[in-house]
């Protein structure tokens, strides 16, 4: 009972527990978390010889040299992974990024190469919004304001939606299940039910449906 009361009165705790459970799902995707003797080739930089680490959201290449150079790359920034195995000696991966960079990784050992390639391919395919990096980010400094509570949809939308209007606040996109690029709370036409919005989203690109984007004062 105490646990139920706590969950009902603390949305942030519910979010934390949800993210913790989802974080466990990354363990099934990461077949190898560390790989030594990796060569990283990238435009306008010297070759980086060092260690490759793979987390739930980042690929981290760290040099063995004294300057300890590092590259942090979000998996969501990788558009495609191409591989070429060279027998039992290992292989080469080409990471084609969404910012137009192409990174080359030379991995020693056939087993390590296959595990790195499979892991990166699976992590770049994660599309669930609640598994994306912003929901897992932890600031390394003192947070002066909780960003998750800075914008409250109900209070902000109340300035747009007035009693008797043809608009209403809908939570049909809770957990971003209908449209991953829309917020969880949206303002929609009052005469369209949530079930109709879901049906509309099924026939539109990226699951989009009619929402209020701008309203001129006085109109």
């Amino acid at each position: 009972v105490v646990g139920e009361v706590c969950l009902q009165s603390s949305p942030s705790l519910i979010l934390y527990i949800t993210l913790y459970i989802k974080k466990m799902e990354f363990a099934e995707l990461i077949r190898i978390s560390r790989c030594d003797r990796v060569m990283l080739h990238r435009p306008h930089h010297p070759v980086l010889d060092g260690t490759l680490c793979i987390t739930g959201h980042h690929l981290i290449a760290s040099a063995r040299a004294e300057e300890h150079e590092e590259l942090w790359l979000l998996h969501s920034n990788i558009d495609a992974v191409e591989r070429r195995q060279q027998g039992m000696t290992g292989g080469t991966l080409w990471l084609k990024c969404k910012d137009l960079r192409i990174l080359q990784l030379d991995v020693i050992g056939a087993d390590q190469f296959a595990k790195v390639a499979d892991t990166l391919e699976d992590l770049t395919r994660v599309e669930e919004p609640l598994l994306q990096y912003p929901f897992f980010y932890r600031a390394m400094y003192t947070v002066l304001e909780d960003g998750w509570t800075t914008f409250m949809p109900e209070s902000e939308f109340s300035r747009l939606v007035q009693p008797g209007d043809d608009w209403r606040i809908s939570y049909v996109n809770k957990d971003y299940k209908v449209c991953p690029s829309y917020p969880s709370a949206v303002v929609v036409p009052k005469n369209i039910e949530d079930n109709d919005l879901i049906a509309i989203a099924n026939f539109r690109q990226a699951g989009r449906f009619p929402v209020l984007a701008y309203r001129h004062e006085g109109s």
Side-chain angles (χ1 to χ4, degrees):
V1 175
V2 174
E4 292 179 357
V5 173
C6 182
L7 286 176
Q8 292 173 0
S9 60
S10 178
S12 60
L13 180 58
I14 296 176
L15 177 62
Y16 175 81
I17 294 176
T18 301
L19 295 180
Y20 178 81
I21 295 174
K22 289 183 176 293
K23 188 174 183 180
M24 296 299 100
E25 299 177 11
F26 285 124
E28 301 176 359
L29 303 179
I30 301 177
R31 297 167 179 80
I32 183 172
S33 59
R34 178 189 173 106
C35 183
D36 294 319
R37 297 187 299 166
V38 173
M39 306 287 288
L40 170 65
H41 305 263
R42 48 186 170 155
H44 313 298
H45 287 81
V47 177
L48 188 153
D49 178 9
T51 299
L52 178 70
C53 294
I54 301 176
T55 71
H57 296 99
H58 287 93
L59 175 155
I60 307 171
S62 178
R64 291 184 292 179
E66 293 183 359
E67 59 269 19
H68 197 64
E69 183 183 3
E70 285 186 345
L71 169 71
W72 288 61
L73 178 67
L74 279 169
H75 301 313
S76 58
N77 192 31
I78 301 176
D79 187 57
V81 179
E82 296 184 2
R83 66 170 83 186
R84 179 185 296 169
Q85 187 165 348
Q86 299 172 351
M88 299 303 295
T89 61
T92 298
L93 292 174
W94 287 274
L95 309 180
K96 296 185 177 181
C97 302
K98 296 176 182 177
D99 57 7
L100 304 182
R101 286 183 299 171
I102 298 179
L103 308 180
Q104 176 183 330
L105 287 174
D106 297 331
V107 182
I108 297 178
D111 183 61
Q112 286 197 126
F113 171 75
K115 289 180 179 179
V116 170
D118 291 341
T119 296
L120 292 179
E121 286 178 348
D122 287 345
L123 289 173
T124 57
R125 295 193 188 108
V126 174
E127 297 181 353
E128 169 65 45
L130 289 178
L131 289 177
Q132 300 304 316
Y133 183 57
F135 290 97
F136 291 83
Y137 174 74
R138 296 293 179 267
M140 303 300 291
Y141 51 84
T142 302
V143 178
L144 301 179
E145 186 177 17
D146 183 5
W148 292 107
T149 59
T150 300
F151 180 87
M152 302 302 293
E154 292 78 5
S155 60
E156 296 294 331
F157 289 161
S158 64
R159 297 185 296 175
L160 300 175
V161 180
Q162 302 297 328
D165 274 351
D166 294 329
W167 304 90
R168 66 181 179 89
I169 299 176
S170 171
Y171 298 93
V172 67
N173 200 41
K174 182 181 179 182
D175 296 332
Y176 314 98
K177 295 296 185 182
V178 180
C179 179
S181 62
Y182 279 5
S184 57
V186 291
V187 176
V188 301
K190 191 174 183 179
N191 60 348
I192 303 180
E193 299 294 332
D194 284 352
N195 289 336
D196 295 328
L197 293 174
I198 295 175
I200 293 171
N202 289 333
F203 291 94
R204 303 184 72 176
Q205 185 177 8
R208 297 186 177 94
F209 53 90
V211 297
L212 178 64
Y214 173 79
R215 186 174 186 178
H216 187 271
E217 185 177 0
S219 62

